[in-house]
Amino acid sequence: TQSTWGSSTRTTMSVVPVSGVYTKSLAIAIILIVEIICNGLFDAYSSFDAPIKQPGAFALIGVQFGMQLLVMLALFLLVWKTFLFRYGLLGILSKCLRPFLIVAPLNLGIGLAERIYRLTWIMSKNNATLSYDIWADGPYNVLFWLQKLASILYYITVLDTVFDLSQPKYYKSDSWIDI
């Protein structure tokens, strides 16, 4: 489409349908809800009365980290149709994604460290009648609280990034090209 603006003429690029953006944003929100549930269920499911040797605990870990990978994939699909990505303006786009690109690997690393530490600690207790308490273990407490804080920061960052990328300005050339 051609439009006149003063004495110059400019061409506007096609606009991506907004419904696809909202669908992907809703999918990310649903994935986050499932991940939050898995995060909480793991703590409730892996009771400290007996060692975990059930596949359910491992399944919850797999689902939780699978959800984090799905969030990363869905965010990439959200970024895929932006004007900035299509025309190679990745420097500008990376400024928008920088918080997510820092927090997501941090959350994944701390989360894996906490889960692995907890499972190996519990599985190392061979005698089911032996009374033990993982909360008396100082390094685990530090990992547990770091993981919970990193998770909260991760959820906030993902939602902020999704809300930011849902703005129409990322899909129109008008915001990024000055003629």
Side-chain angles (χ1 to χ4, degrees), residues 16-33:
V16 174
V18 180
S19 63
V21 173
Y22 293 135
T23 303
K24 291 172 190 163
S25 300
L26 180 63
I28 291 171
I30 291 169
I31 291 169
L32 279 180
I33 290 170

Side-chain angles (χ1 to χ4, degrees), residues 6-153:
S7 60
S8 66
T9 304
R10 65 185 175 120
T11 306
T12 58
M13 302 290 176
S14 63
V15 177
V16 174
V18 180
S19 63
V21 173
Y22 293 135
T23 303
K24 291 172 190 163
S25 300
L26 180 63
I28 291 171
I30 291 169
I31 291 169
L32 279 180
I33 290 170
V34 171
E35 186 196 341
I36 290 169
I37 291 170
C38 288
N39 196 356
L41 278 179
F42 180 80
D43 295 328
Y45 181 75
S46 58
S47 91
F48 299 113
D49 298 336
I52 296 178
K53 300 214 179 194
Q54 305 142 341
F58 293 105
L60 281 174
I61 292 172
V63 169
Q64 180 183 359
F65 292 110
M67 293 295 112
Q68 286 187 16
L69 294 175
L70 279 175
V71 164
M72 290 179 201
L73 175 67
L75 271 175
F76 177 74
L77 292 174
L78 196 60
V79 167
W80 182 266
K81 293 289 184 179
T82 63
F83 176 81
L84 299 172
F85 189 83
R86 288 186 297 155
Y87 289 94
L89 301 172
L90 300 180
I92 299 170
L93 187 59
S94 69
K95 288 180 184 173
C96 169
L97 296 175
R98 185 171 292 140
F100 175 76
L101 294 174
I102 292 170
V103 170
L106 180 72
N107 180 52
L108 188 64
I110 292 173
L112 281 174
E114 187 265 338
R115 298 301 191 214
I116 290 169
Y117 187 92
R118 181 175 180 161
L119 287 176
T120 55
W121 191 92
I122 292 173
M123 291 178 79
S124 70
K125 307 298 180 195
N126 292 327
N127 188 356
T129 61
L130 179 65
S131 177
Y132 56 91
D133 184 17
I134 196 169
W135 298 108
D137 188 43
Y140 176 73
N141 278 318
V142 171
L143 277 174
F144 177 83
W145 290 108
L146 280 176
Q147 190 269 334
K148 296 307 175 196
L149 292 173
S151 292
I152 293 169
L153 185 62

